Amino acid sequence: MLTETIEGLNIRPEGTYVDATFGGGGHSRAILEQLNEQGRLVAFDQDEDAKARVDSGEWLAGDTPNPMASLPAKFTFIHENFRYLKNYLRLNGLREVDGILADLGVSSHQFDVAERGFSTRFDGELDLRMDRRQETTARDIVNSLDEESLARLLKLYGELPNAKQMARAIVEFRGRRLESGGINTTGELKEAVSRRLPRGMENKYLAMLFQALRIEVNGELDALKALLQQSIEVLRPGGRLVVISYHSLEDRLVKNFMRSGNFEGTIEKDFFGNIMSPVRMVSRGAVQASEEELQLNNRARSARLRIGEKLDNGE
Ligand SMILES: C[S@@+](CC[C@H](N)C(=O)[O-])C[C@H]1O[C@@H](n2cnc3c(N)ncnc32)[C@H](O)[C@@H]1O
């Protein structure tokens, strides 16, 4: 999907681009390869590990001893949430950009560190924060919400069919462990819901549970909405918005926004019957990973790539 993603940005070598989700820097590197000396790339990531990767220069493969030193001034990294896209671009003297990429969700680096709590495979802290400068963790949510609010969250963000039973199991389990602070680790959370996981679908249900908590901890849907809205304000007409999402809640927002300019997908027409949207979808459906890619990376199974283009009538 890397090729389709980069092609989707329709890169002009002298243009200015945003990688809203630096992660391991794979997409940033591919964008930089296409830019000339006038071109510019601004990358965001709220995770301090991503910042450390930028600082180390390791993401720029090659034999250069200190690749960051040789990285031309065309690359800027912003260790912030992309929900502040417009403000940080302005702070860097940029009012208009030619393309924005967001590869949403969790990076493989985040998944692979047990104590960050992202993976259902390990036993780690019940943390799930992408930005560890923020205070609230998944542990706070799991131990403080009442049963009804917890059930609502699991239904809304995890789309768990048995959200109520899951919430009850969590509340009962934590009630039995008050002296040790309730549920502290991903292992304990898994134990709490173990009898509520349908046989043969244990991993799927756990993934849905973790997804719900992650979306809540990181305010993921609000951040995505802010990014989409601001992208229209900062893209030049003809500029591209390329988004890869990993679950239906995100993909629905992206699809609706690219189709209609709003999150409900309501098409509004002018007096002459023309669709009044600041953006148009470049590809009809979502692009999905090829079988070949899935062999290498199973996580790509849920990836949906959508490409939009800012129209001339956009603000
Ligand atoms: C799937 S990874 C991106 C991988 C990247 N495209 C690459 O080539 O390595 C998603 C990254 O986006 C970051 N991220 C997610 N939501 C964010 C947000 N609202 N603001 C800033 N960074 C965010 C995560 O911390 C994570 O590092």
Side-chain angles (χ1 to χ4, degrees), residues 3 6 22 44 53-54 57 67 88 110 140 144 162 176 180 209 222 234 265 276 284 288 299:
T3 311
I6 301 301
F22 179 85
F44 286 74
R53 271 192 296 282
V54 171
Y88 280 99
Q110 289 165 332
D140 298 323
S144 66
N162 64 350
R176 293 196 294 274
S180 53
L209 168 64
D222 284 343
V234 299
M276 290 186 358
R284 253 184 177 278
Q288 290 178 244
R299 237 197 108 223

Side-chain angles (χ1 to χ4, degrees), residues 246-297:
Y246 292 86
H247 56 77
S248 58
L249 297 170
E250 283 171 348
D251 187 48
R252 201 173 306 143
L253 287 177
V254 175
K255 183 172 75 180
N256 284 345
F257 189 80
M258 287 190 181
R259 183 194 283 159
S260 65
N262 58 61
F263 302 122
E264 295 73 37
T266 315
I267 307 272
E268 289 177 20
K269 295 191 176 171
D270 66 11
F271 182 74
F272 303 102
N274 303 313
I275 294 176
M276 290 186 358
S277 174
V279 60
R280 74 167 183 100
M281 256 201 209
V282 172
S283 51
R284 253 184 177 278
V287 180
Q288 290 178 244
S290 63
E291 270 310 314
E292 210 179 336
E293 188 171 357
L294 292 177
Q295 303 285 329
L296 299 170
N297 173 17

Side-chain angles (χ1 to χ4, degrees), residues 89-90 93-97 233-235:
L89 289 182
R90 293 246 155 118
L94 295 168
R95 288 194 168 261
E96 204 171 65
V97 300
E233 296 175 50
V234 299
L235 275 173

Side-chain angles (χ1 to χ4, degrees), residues 175-215:
R176 293 196 294 274
R177 303 174 56 90
L178 287 179
E179 72 294 341
S180 53
I183 299 174
N184 298 307
T185 64
T186 54
E188 287 167 5
L189 180 63
K190 286 196 276 184
E191 198 184 330
V193 298
S194 60
R195 286 202 267 157
R196 297 290 165 199
L197 305 174
R199 189 161 308 159
M201 297 178 77
E202 291 87 348
N203 290 339
K204 182 159 191 248
Y205 272 58
L206 280 177
M208 291 157 106
L209 168 64
F210 276 56
Q211 173 185 302
L213 293 173
R214 210 193 74 210
I215 291 177

Side-chain angles (χ1 to χ4, degrees), residues 85-106:
L85 172 82
K86 189 174 148 191
N87 279 351
Y88 280 99
L89 289 182
R90 293 246 155 118
L91 270 177
N92 282 275
L94 295 168
R95 288 194 168 261
E96 204 171 65
V97 300
D98 297 277
I100 300 173
L101 164 66
D103 177 16
L104 301 168
V106 181

